[in-house]
Every structure is written in C-alpha cells, then in structure tokens.
Amino acid sequence: MPNYSVGFDGVKRSMSLRTFRDEISEEVSSIFSSDFTVEVVETDFVPKPGDAKITFPNTDAKKLSCKLIETCVLYIDIRKSTELNLSHRRATVAKLYSAFGRSITRAARYYGGHVRGIIGDRVMVVFDKEDCFEKAVKTAVLMNSVAEYILNKNFPNNEIKCGIGIDYGKMLITKVGVVRRGEEVSNYKGLVWLGRPANVASKLTDIANKPAETREVPQVRTGFHYPRMNEYNWYEESLEQFIDKLEDIPLSNTLRHKDDYYFAHYKTTRTITEQVKTPPILMTREVFSGYEKACPDAKSIKNGWYKKKAVKIPEYNGDIFGGDVIFTIFDE
C-alpha cells in the first residue's frame, strides 16, 4: 500500500514530504556529480521536439544529451496585451489570440522558420543556419506587415501593435524535467534554448514598438546680476544643486546664496526621456551586419531603413538597429 500523506492544502499525496525531500536531494546530487556527463552535438538545423539526440537528464545512466546551434532567433508578441484583456470581451480576446497565433506561425514558416515556443501572445522562431540572417529579417518584415495591415485592421479601434526582436549566436538545446506518461506528456516534451541569443531577442521584443517614456523632474532657474557689465544671466540646475549653494546667515533664521551676484530664482521642471520611442523591429549588430552582408542590394539596406537606436538592454553591450519596414503589397 502506498504511504499517503495529506498536506496543509488538503491534497492527498503518495509520499511523505521527508521522502520527497530525500529523493529530490539525491537526484540533484547525482546530476551535479563529476561522473554525470553532458554530450553536446553541433548542428546546422533546428531540432524537432522529439529529437532522439536531445534527452532528459538520466540519473541512472548519468548522462544528458544536448545539441548546439549557431543561428538567428526571433521573438514576437503583442504590445499591451494585459490592457487588451481587460478592455475587451473574452470572446473578442479569444478571437485575437487565435488569429494572432494562426497568422504569425504561418508567417514564421513562409521563409523557413521553425516555431519553437508559443506562450500566450509570445512566439519564438528559430532558423536553420544557412541563410538565417536573410530569413530572420524577412520574417520580421512579414510579421510586421501582417500585424499592421491584417490583424490591426480587423481588431476594434486598431489597437494591435507587435514588437519583434532578433539576435544571432550559439544556443544550447536541451530538455529539462522528467519523463512522464499520461495526459500531461506533451507538456514535458518542449525544448529549452539556453544562451544569450534567446535572452537578448526576448528582451528586444519587450522594448520594441513602444512610445517614448518621459518624466518631469524639479529644477531651479537662478538669476545672477553683474552690475559692471549690466548683464543678467539665468542658469538651470537641480533642486539639490541649488540647495547646496545656500548658507545660513549668522545669528539669523534665514538663508542666503553663496554667490554675491545672485538676485532671484524660481522653480521649474525639466522633461527627461527615460526610454526613446522604438520601432516594431529591433535587432542586434550581429543580425544587422549579417543581413547587410547577405543582402547588400535589399531596399532596406540601400535606403537605410534600419538605423542605430539609442536603446540598451541587459546582457548586450553592442549596437541595436531597428526599423518599421513592411512589404508594400500589404498596403495595397
């Protein structure tokens, strides 16, 4: 008979918490042991979820098999999806997600991309190594065209905007978790993509196609009068800088400015741009350079439609390029 225990949440489980703890501890120790091997096979082709060369960690055989690919990865998702969920009926949102998933996955496959992840309104696309720069950038343009001229025009109030991010580099493909049988088996077959490109492309997607973000900060405009030259000059500084230039008058409860030429001041504000407006498509320097080399005669290259953007993301110190490029046939 199994040893059942009932947790604080009232759920009956088939083992005690102590037993569970000991088993997990043993499995983790086995994976981190020096005799547990990780086999990595390089590939130029995007693996399928059922690839036999990519395995779950086997604690009995003490082995994990992975693949390594150097290529482009692309992410796309819908801007302000949370607000859309709150401001529209469930049926309308369900139609949007269905239309988005169908149209974007078809756009991904048009230039040979492989969809390797769909989480809500976010889609991950990976490309075989050959011609990956051309395929990735053209896929981004196609997705941007679909989002702007098909999805947006069919949704109430034209609220649909999508952000697209692309990076290039090496990614390790593995599986995590355990082998399961039954109803949940499909949830345990997904591939995990490890490496900078997946992280960077995802972060570029987060900031693509967003308006400028600004905030107001208090400032002080201080006036100085120079009698000999009969000049009045005004300077702007932060509130803290202005306060630092004040001093106590001895035997008094008042303050004075340290500069004898001070005569007046007033409070104002200054607008600081915390995030510049970004286009729908963002890519790293590696992707832009690869596309420029692969397609030097492309209109987007000749006309300079992708420009360097003043945006920064964690994990990447290189230049970021972006543009709002479409296939004009969608605008007909």
Side-chain angles (χ1 to χ4, degrees):
M1 292 288 292
N3 180 22
Y4 288 106
S5 65
V6 179
F8 70 92
D9 52 1
V11 177
K12 186 166 67 174
R13 297 178 175 86
S14 59
M15 69 173 67
S16 69
L17 192 59
R18 183 184 299 276
T19 303
F20 175 80
R21 179 203 65 186
D22 293 343
E23 287 187 2
I24 293 296
S25 179
E26 183 179 350
E27 289 175 3
V28 171
S29 297
S30 175
I31 292 173
F32 277 99
S33 66
S34 58
D35 57 347
F36 189 97
T37 60
V38 178
E39 180 185 67
V40 179
V41 176
E42 294 190 16
T43 180
D44 292 339
F45 303 96
V46 178
K48 296 179 180 179
D51 193 317
K53 297 294 184 180
I54 304 175
T55 66
F56 291 103
N58 189 320
T59 55
D60 294 325
K62 293 190 175 182
K63 184 178 179 181
L64 173 65
S65 297
C66 311
K67 281 192 172 182
L68 182 72
I69 188 170
E70 186 172 9
T71 188
C72 290
V73 57
L74 176 155
Y75 279 89
I76 178 173
D77 73 3
I78 301 174
R79 294 282 74 93
K80 297 185 178 180
S81 55
T82 301
E83 290 88 336
L84 292 174
N85 274 277
L86 296 174
S87 60
H88 292 278
R89 294 181 304 164
R90 285 175 297 205
T92 302
V93 175
K95 289 180 179 180
L96 168 63
Y97 277 62
S98 296
F100 174 80
R102 180 181 291 259
S103 59
I104 292 304
T105 53
R106 288 194 63 184
R109 293 194 294 267
Y110 189 86
Y111 287 108
H114 302 270
V115 176
R116 287 297 178 263
I118 302 177
I119 303 176
D121 64 327
R122 176 163 295 210
V123 177
M124 175 190 185
V125 184
V126 189
F127 300 85
D128 293 333
K129 185 172 184 179
E130 185 177 5
D131 301 324
C132 65
F133 297 110
E134 179 180 3
K135 292 176 180 178
V137 174
K138 284 185 175 180
T139 298
V141 175
L142 182 58
M143 289 180 172
N144 188 37
S145 304
V146 169
E148 178 65 24
Y149 291 98
I150 296 180
L151 289 172
N152 189 44
K153 289 186 176 180
N154 280 277
F155 196 75
N157 305 320
N158 302 110
E159 298 174 83
I160 303 304
K161 294 183 181 298
C162 292
I164 303 168
I166 319 171
D167 191 19
Y168 170 86
K170 293 182 178 180
M171 290 180 290
L172 188 68
I173 310 117
T174 185
K175 290 180 180 178
V176 297
V178 294
V179 178
R180 293 290 300 268
R181 295 180 176 84
E183 294 180 358
E184 297 183 357
V185 65
S186 61
N187 295 331
Y188 288 81
K189 284 188 175 180
L191 302 176
V192 178
W193 302 77
L194 306 175
R196 190 206 74 180
N199 294 329
V200 169
S202 180
K203 288 181 171 63
L204 288 177
T205 305
D206 291 336
I207 63 173
N209 208 1
K210 286 195 171 183
E213 295 179 4
T214 62
R215 65 183 176 92
E216 301 292 320
V217 296
Q219 296 282 288
V220 177
R221 281 187 62 83
T222 309
F224 299 90
H225 178 220
Y226 304 99
R228 289 186 179 180
M229 298 176 287
N230 195 28
E231 287 185 358
Y232 289 85
N233 293 327
W234 290 87
Y235 302 94
E236 190 170 298
E237 58 191 345
S238 69
L239 187 59
E240 292 78 10
Q241 290 172 324
F242 176 76
I243 292 174
D244 286 341
K245 295 174 182 177
L246 303 180
E247 62 183 2
D248 293 318
I249 297 178
L251 304 176
S252 170
N253 292 326
T254 58
L255 297 172
R256 68 182 176 193
H257 201 281
K258 295 177 182 179
D259 193 315
D260 292 335
Y261 294 107
Y262 160 84
F263 80 92
H265 73 274
Y266 64 91
K267 186 179 177 181
T268 183
T269 59
R270 180 163 63 95
T271 301
I272 293 180
T273 300
E274 295 189 323
Q275 175 65 58
V276 298
K277 180 181 179 181
T278 54
I281 302 172
L282 292 177
M283 65 187 77
T284 58
R285 160 68 77 175
E286 289 83 350
V287 176
F288 176 76
S289 298
Y291 179 65
E292 185 179 39
K293 182 178 180 180
C295 305
D297 295 326
K299 286 185 178 180
S300 59
I301 296 299
K302 286 187 173 182
N303 296 327
W305 290 343
Y306 295 110
K307 299 184 184 301
K308 190 186 301 185
K309 299 298 175 180
V311 295
K312 293 292 182 182
I313 59 171
E315 303 177 26
Y316 185 74
N317 297 320
D319 296 327
I320 295 172
F321 290 78
D324 186 359
V325 184
I326 63 162
F327 290 122
T328 54
I329 193 172
F330 281 80
D331 194 24
E332 293 179 357

